[in-house]
Amino acid sequence: MSGICGWMGHGHGAADNRALIEAMAAPLARFDASAVQALAGNASALAVAAGADCAHSLQRDGVSIALWGDVQLRDAARREQAVAEGMGAALLSLWKQGAEALCNGLQGAFALAVLDERAGEALLAIDRMGTHPLAWQLAGETLVFGSSADSLVRHPQTPGKVDPQGVYNYVYFHMVPAPGTVYQGQQRLLPGTYLRYRQGRVETQAYWRMQFQENGNRPFAELKDEFRDVLRSSVRDACGTQPVGAFLSGGTDSSTLAGILCEVGGKPAKTYSIGFEAQGYDEMEYARMASRHFGTEHHEYYVTPTDVADAIPHMAQVFDQPFGNASAVPAYYCARMARADGVARMFGGDGGDELFGGNERYSKQHVFALYERVPSLLRKALLEPAVFNFPGGGHVKLLRKARSYIEQASVPMPARLETYNLLGRYGPTQVFTDDFLAGADVGQPLAGLNATYGLSDAPSLINRMLALDLKVTLADNDLPKVMKACELAGMEVAFPFLSEQMVAFSAGLTPQQKLNGTQLRYFFKEALRDFLPNEIITKQKHGFGLPFGVWLQQSPQLQALAADSLSDLKRRGIVRADFIGKLMDQHLAEHAGYHGTMVWVLMMLEQWFRQRPATAM
């Protein structure tokens, strides 16, 4: 992996500090053997591990700076300075203008650290989309940080002790949402946020937040031309100087990037797809359709249950937090195939749904929101009594549907999004032991979701949901999934849809251009109707979903691995033994696809623990 790590406010001289910072940096380079640039002071140290184009460092006049990321400087004068004196010198000049100037002076995905020993100050920051993570912990007056928690726990001031709340949040969301982590005392920076450290104290501040312009009235033709121009420039800028390829699932986002890559590159793009020998999961034909349409140089690989079993321990190793999104496995095999083909950087289509309104839940919540427009008196005095008190209504299909609709529509946002939450369906007390629950707040996941949802001041439901998903779905889930899968394969990854220009363009679209009634990503599809095959525009969303639950019933190897993992998890005192038994013996037989998700989530939790035997609960 690439990344940065370091500390401020602790040390016994530059020589000892250098040995410690090199030990902290080792996890950042373990999969791709990136060169490590280490800087050590008397009471601080800093390291960056990345490819030459993405690693920048400087130590001058008591200030140490490290930047991880393929970034551009916004100001022309600073760009000229970077060419003449190096990126570090340009960053130092921006630092002297203040934290806001430095953060807003960068375009692209980055993690940044500035340590000023003389002033006793430090700055940590990550990019607007949260592509590059950064965890931190204050131990007394010592600030310790790292792009990976595996680096941070190597510092003697911040040994890793697992937080029950982090584990609970993981089982609830299948990942640990920022700013929380799985470790006590550790936090992560939120997208578009920086941290200031001054004389042993810290404060965090957002330097950027998505602002939607909902009243646009520009002609469609003008918007379409600008959109296509932004697409081309975003892909062109993301190419860099190394051989590039693209994930191709056959969806609108990956197909669009593949086509644009062919266009701007002037030659067939290299595209890579994953298939599954499982009914209802394989969508290779759509990827082939996109490849034929654009004339890409296409490559395919069919993942097997054996592949999954082989990858699971490595997945648990590369993720510094427990992570339960099973589609990381096919993403890894896809990136590994591209790496063997000589590709150094892959394009991911992530972000298109969250910018242009592409998730099915957007249309579903639009339908539920219609109920809120019915006058309260009519709802409470007439509709609801008629539906819920109708004799024998539970046996009438139409009334059952009406009851379900009203029940869900009556739940306020964003809790309504978690109506089908797997942990909520089982019940926390049925899943976790009493001792474990004594250390966790079962209301915290929804409280955190509410807090994030409340940060957006967008008037429309669709834009409030998009703002929520930019953080929870994208920054907390999809980006780490692809970043870590590519890290394991020794592959760089870029997300052209998350360019600053593309994000700004999407923010200027009206709510109706994103969700027209129940039509998802309306503008996006109309603007590309003469570019993409119609079958891809009209297909249902799928992606690289893994048929784990189905395969679990068929593969002795996966069955043995799951049973062994869950057996060991029982002994950790987190999950109830009777729940694990019921999950494996009864629930899987009832619905393998649905309950297989919880098997995966719990199995990956145990596998994560196994990769960190020194971690204390």
Side-chain angles (χ1 to χ4, degrees):
M1 177 189 177
S2 299
I4 62 174
C5 64
W7 72 86
M8 180 76 173
H10 167 87
H12 302 286
D16 290 344
N17 288 348
R18 178 169 291 277
L20 178 55
I21 191 63
E22 289 176 351
M24 287 182 65
L28 302 179
R30 60 187 162 179
F31 295 107
D32 58 7
S34 297
V36 175
Q37 302 174 28
L39 309 172
N42 291 320
S44 67
L46 186 56
V48 54
D53 294 339
C54 298
H56 307 279
S57 64
L58 176 75
Q59 192 170 43
R60 182 184 298 172
D61 300 328
V63 178
S64 300
I65 298 177
L67 174 70
W68 165 40
D70 186 9
V71 300
Q72 298 292 325
L73 294 166
R74 194 181 307 277
D75 182 71
R78 297 283 80 82
R79 290 196 297 270
E80 292 177 3
Q81 183 182 10
V83 171
E85 304 176 41
M87 176 66 82
L91 295 174
L92 182 60
S93 296
L94 284 169
W95 165 244
K96 292 176 180 178
Q97 297 176 22
E100 294 274 351
L102 177 52
C103 293
N104 286 310
L106 301 175
Q107 297 185 72
F110 68 86
L112 170 72
V114 181
L115 310 181
D116 189 337
E117 274 201 11
R118 293 181 179 178
E121 296 186 9
L123 170 75
L124 306 178
I126 62 172
D127 60 270
R128 296 179 175 190
M129 294 290 104
T131 310
H132 288 355
L134 197 54
W136 62 275
Q137 185 170 350
L138 191 64
E141 293 188 354
T142 302
L143 174 67
V144 189
F145 57 90
S147 298
S148 169
D150 291 337
S151 292
L152 202 152
V153 298
R154 290 189 169 208
H155 194 282
Q157 298 286 92
T158 53
K161 183 175 175 58
V162 171
D163 183 2
Q165 189 66 57
V167 173
Y168 184 89
N169 291 352
Y170 162 72
V171 177
Y172 189 95
F173 289 112
H174 308 171
M175 50 76 182
V176 186
T181 73
V182 75
Y183 292 110
Q184 294 182 20
Q186 265 192 39
Q187 296 189 60
R188 279 176 292 171
L189 289 180
L190 295 173
T193 299
Y194 66 80
L195 176 148
R196 289 295 301 271
Y197 166 97
R198 293 185 179 93
Q199 303 296 335
R201 296 187 178 186
V202 298
E203 61 178 352
T204 58
Q205 179 70 41
Y207 68 87
W208 180 87
R209 187 169 292 148
M210 189 74 161
Q211 298 293 329
F212 297 98
Q213 308 298 321
E214 298 204 345
N215 301 316
N217 57 2
R218 295 171 59 191
F220 172 80
E222 179 182 316
L223 285 171
K224 175 182 174 180
D225 288 344
E226 181 180 343
F227 175 54
R228 300 275 276 265
D229 287 343
V230 171
L231 264 174
R232 295 185 192 98
S233 64
S234 297
V235 168
R236 190 179 297 111
D237 291 344
C239 284
T241 59
Q242 303 181 74
V244 299
F247 290 103
L248 182 57
S249 68
T252 52
D253 290 327
S254 65
S255 299
T256 298
L257 291 184
I260 296 295
L261 186 55
C262 290
E263 186 178 308
V264 302
K267 61 182 180 181
K270 291 185 175 183
T271 54
Y272 300 85
S273 296
I274 291 297
F276 309 102
E277 295 288 357
Q279 186 175 359
Y281 286 86
D282 185 53
E283 292 209 328
M284 189 68 83
E285 184 52 41
Y286 286 100
R288 292 169 180 162
M289 184 183 303
S291 176
R292 290 192 299 267
H293 182 77
F294 293 115
T296 73
E297 181 185 323
H298 192 53
H299 308 263
E300 300 175 355
Y301 183 77
Y302 271 77
V303 171
T304 68
T306 297
D307 288 330
V308 176
D310 290 344
I312 282 171
H314 302 296
M315 285 289 158
Q317 184 183 24
V318 74
F319 281 96
D320 64 330
Q321 309 283 327
F323 191 77
N325 187 333
S327 61
V329 173
Y332 159 65
Y333 278 104
C334 202
R336 194 177 76 163
M337 174 173 49
R339 183 66 179 173
D341 197 38
V343 171
R345 176 177 293 183
M346 286 286 279
F347 284 177
D350 302 85
D353 286 332
E354 292 76 21
L355 293 177
F356 295 98
N359 288 315
E360 292 290 342
R361 59 182 169 274
Y362 301 151
S363 59
K364 183 176 181 180
Q365 296 307 322
H366 169 77
V367 173
F368 285 135
L370 295 177
Y371 189 67
E372 298 175 350
R373 301 179 187 178
V374 178
S376 178
L377 183 62
L378 181 59
R379 278 187 278 143
K380 301 299 181 183
L382 182 61
L383 288 178
E384 293 177 12
V387 169
F388 287 99
N389 298 330
F390 190 88
H395 302 288
V396 181
K397 184 176 181 180
L398 184 61
L399 284 176
R400 288 202 307 271
K401 287 188 173 182
R403 288 178 179 180
S404 177
Y405 172 82
I406 291 174
E407 286 171 352
Q408 292 185 68
S410 299
V411 176
M413 286 289 288
R416 194 161 69 218
L417 296 169
E418 298 299 325
T419 302
Y420 293 99
N421 181 278
L422 201 52
L423 178 57
R425 287 301 181 96
Y426 294 131
T429 59
Q430 301 300 307
V431 175
F432 296 108
T433 65
D434 292 342
D435 286 345
F436 174 81
L437 284 177
D441 177 3
V442 299
Q444 199 278 333
L446 279 182
L449 207 62
N450 270 311
T452 302
Y453 189 74
L455 289 175
S456 175
D457 57 2
S460 65
L461 174 63
I462 179 62
N463 279 338
R464 291 197 300 274
M465 292 180 69
L466 293 179
L468 178 70
D469 275 350
L470 283 172
K471 192 271 181 185
V472 177
T473 301
L474 192 65
D476 286 335
N477 194 331
D478 289 345
L479 294 182
K481 175 192 72 178
V482 180
M483 292 282 288
K484 291 293 187 179
C486 286
E487 175 188 340
L488 187 60
M491 175 73 68
E492 289 187 7
V493 61
F495 305 99
F497 281 117
L498 299 183
S499 73
E500 186 173 315
Q501 296 82 2
M502 186 65 75
V503 172
F505 176 84
S506 72
L509 295 176
T510 67
Q512 292 73 27
Q513 287 170 327
K514 297 167 185 174
L515 182 66
N516 186 13
T518 58
Q519 296 180 72
L520 298 169
R521 56 165 72 208
Y522 180 74
F523 168 81
F524 186 100
K525 290 181 176 180
E526 291 301 312
L528 294 172
R529 193 165 290 279
D530 60 348
F531 183 73
L532 293 172
N534 186 63
E535 294 87 347
I536 287 176
I537 287 179
T538 58
K539 76 179 282 290
Q540 289 190 333
K541 180 177 176 60
H542 193 275
F544 288 155
L546 186 73
F548 175 72
V550 175
W551 282 351
L552 189 58
Q553 293 186 312
Q554 303 168 354
S555 167
Q557 187 178 9
L558 284 178
Q559 291 169 5
L561 182 58
D564 178 63
S565 299
L566 269 59
S567 177
D568 283 355
L569 185 62
K570 290 178 186 179
R571 292 193 280 269
R572 297 190 184 274
I574 297 172
V575 180
R576 298 174 63 94
D578 58 344
F579 172 76
I580 289 177
K582 190 174 184 179
L583 178 64
M584 297 296 288
D585 298 336
Q586 176 184 334
H587 290 325
L588 271 179
E590 294 171 347
H591 195 311
Y594 182 76
H595 298 288
T597 299
M598 182 56 76
V599 176
W600 179 273
V601 167
L602 297 180
M603 178 180 66
M604 294 310 297
L605 177 60
E606 171 58 28
Q607 290 287 326
W608 181 86
F609 274 114
R610 289 185 185 182
Q611 294 295 329
R612 293 154 184 85
T615 298
M617 184 71 189

